[in-house]
Amino acid sequence: MTQHYTMMQYFEWHANGDGNHWNRLKEDAPHLKEKGIDAVWLPPACKADHVMNTGYSVYDLYDLGEFDQKGQVRTKYGTKEELIAAIQACHDHGLKVYADVVINHKAGADEAETVKVVEVDPSDRNNIISEPFDIEAFTKFDFPGRNNKYSDFKWNYTHFNGTDYDHKTGRTGIFKILGENKDWNENVDDEKGNFDYLMFTNVDYQHPDVRQQTIEWGKWFIDTLKIDGMRMDAVKHIESYFIKEFSEAMRAHAGDDFYFLGEYWNADLGANEQFLEEADYNTDLFDVKLHFNFKAASEAGSAYDMRTIFDDTIVAEHPEIAVTFVDNHDSQPGEALESFVKDWFKQSAYALILLRKDGYPCIFYGDYYGIGGDIPVEGKQAAIDPLLYVRQHKAYGDQDDYFDHPNVIGFVRRGEGNKTGCTVIINTSETEAEKQMHVGKSRAGQVWYDYTNTREDEIIIDEDGNGLFKVNAGSVSVYCESE
């Protein structure tokens, strides 16, 4: 984790596909830094199977919007030159850049091959439900548009262990590819028996050529874009020992401070801990359990016990590797993992990730700038900006928790040096509330204001260093000494 950094996921699922996203980031870089963002997580930059694809249907890892493939030179977000210029602009303004890396599967193959498979039960991939038979599988990737530039490696069925479509019959299913040393990778999430297979044509990390080629690509990718880290997509579906091997190879190439962040979309703490152990704790992880706690609190309202909001979370058990977030492109309305935190609780949830001591908070572009598509959501920049300001200028030092009421919780940051600290009070009840919190005897006589501009109270710190802080119903207030 990078100390006191704040990350922004700089895209949402329906980000404008006009090819100008990299240009918008380039223009936005100084504004992001001014607001208190220290790092941006970019959407997948590699050529997908279609120009309007968000990037997770990856076709060619070596095509960053440079070659006429899949109907366009550019990707959804722009060209390679525009991407490099956007990253340079971020670096010029002191922003770190993390690239989204999709190496679990490939899509949009150039040709089909006859492949021997068995069909497996979609709900238990260890349960074979057919005799071996032949299908025509889209497993041949020659990248003719790139014509061997950067790499002459060609993919075929031996490099994959599963697919979901038989071109011969037009039938879909989950088909395990047969062959020497072919099976599902073992060290993956055990949902559905074995969750190696996720979608499209599944990359087989038991194959030595696949491991070598992926590592070679990773080095090229770092050198080409000068990125500061990688967000690893779908790591619960990838052999965990390869994640360890890959991360070690990237750090050996780019330096020990090269950043890794894994997406292990499972709210079970034990499953996350098993992955971390196998991957040798070489990567931070998104705190998926905390996200689901936020969702539950937003849906239950006053029936949710806020004293339990951090129960079974990564940030509570492993604060040094937790990336805390409220929502993302997968959890937004209409998407596969839809689990959107309700609007009334959004600012409270962001206060819980931005103003506390632990965790590396990640702000979602869709929450900040708004969500497009068929289910549009307005941006909440006005609600998030004051929290960013307090994080940047106030929320430092020791932390005292007042998690002593099921609906009204609070915490104090004591301050550090010229960073004068803050108090946060969150209320999920239907009436306004107050809580006495201790900010230190040295604060006696100070006047503290609510930086969210929700309340107009002037809280005067008494001679013992206590303040009686007030909050509206279903709201959050963040008090700091007046400037």
Side-chain angles (χ1 to χ4, degrees), residues 312-331:
D312 303 317
T313 61
I314 297 176
V315 75
E317 300 299 325
H318 304 281
E320 70 286 353
I321 57 95
V323 172
T324 51
F325 71 104
V326 178
D327 272 303
N328 70 15
H329 64 291
D330 282 324
S331 71

Side-chain angles (χ1 to χ4, degrees), residues 1 42 45 105 107 129-130 133 177 182 253 255 282 292 319 339 412:
M1 178 182 301
L42 305 184
H105 50 264
I129 58 173
S130 78
F133 66 104
I177 295 171
K182 277 276 171 254
H253 183 71
N282 271 358
F292 280 109
S339 47
V412 175

Side-chain angles (χ1 to χ4, degrees), residues 238-413:
I238 300 172
E239 169 62 54
S240 54
Y241 291 106
F242 178 71
I243 296 294
K244 176 179 182 288
E245 183 183 351
F246 183 79
S247 58
E248 286 175 350
M250 295 309 103
R251 287 203 174 108
H253 183 71
D256 289 343
D257 59 350
F258 191 80
Y259 182 71
F260 273 95
L261 167 58
E263 181 225 12
Y264 198 100
W265 195 265
N266 186 330
D268 179 67
L269 182 63
N272 284 267
E273 288 175 330
Q274 182 176 337
F275 166 79
L276 286 166
E277 199 167 307
E278 291 166 355
D280 205 21
Y281 285 81
N282 271 358
T283 176
D284 285 8
L285 280 189
F286 286 108
D287 199 338
V288 175
K289 174 62 172 170
L290 181 62
H291 158 74
F292 280 109
N293 287 358
F294 289 155
K295 177 178 181 283
S298 78
E299 290 173 345
S302 60
Y304 187 90
D305 188 343
M306 287 295 290
R307 294 171 296 187
T308 69
I309 195 78
F310 289 106
D311 283 8
D312 303 317
T313 61
I314 297 176
V315 75
E317 300 299 325
H318 304 281
E320 70 286 353
I321 57 95
V323 172
T324 51
F325 71 104
V326 178
D327 272 303
N328 70 15
H329 64 291
D330 282 324
S331 71
Q332 71 181 69
E335 297 315 313
L337 302 172
E338 180 179 341
S339 47
F340 209 50
V341 175
K342 290 189 176 296
D343 273 7
W344 75 270
F345 191 70
K346 272 271 157 86
Q347 191 178 36
S348 295
Y350 272 106
L352 286 167
I353 69 169
L354 285 170
L355 303 182
R356 290 179 66 77
K357 180 177 63 176
D358 294 327
Y360 186 171
C362 181
I363 292 172
F364 177 39
Y365 183 98
D367 284 338
Y368 195 76
Y369 287 122
I371 289 172
D374 296 334
I375 314 173
V377 180
E378 283 190 22
K380 296 171 181 61
Q381 185 172 342
I384 295 171
D385 275 348
L387 305 178
L388 280 171
Y389 179 86
V390 173
R391 175 172 175 79
Q392 192 177 9
H393 297 284
K394 308 281 188 180
Y396 289 79
D398 292 339
Q399 180 174 290
D400 300 319
D401 285 341
Y402 292 79
F403 283 36
D404 50 8
H405 188 281
N407 297 132
V408 187
I409 62 168
F411 59 93
V412 175
R413 298 298 300 278

Side-chain angles (χ1 to χ4, degrees), residues 20 56 59 97 112 135 222 265 291 310 312 331 412 426-427 447:
N20 280 309
Y56 293 101
Y59 164 67
V97 177
I135 66 169
I222 290 169
W265 195 265
H291 158 74
F310 289 106
D312 303 317
S331 71
V412 175
I426 294 170
N427 178 17
V447 181

Side-chain angles (χ1 to χ4, degrees), residues 417-437:
N418 64 350
K419 313 288 190 182
T420 53
C422 65
T423 67
V424 178
I425 179 168
I426 294 170
N427 178 17
T428 60
S429 75
E430 294 168 14
T431 57
E432 67 174 51
E434 61 186 23
K435 188 179 289 292
Q436 179 173 290
M437 291 186 276

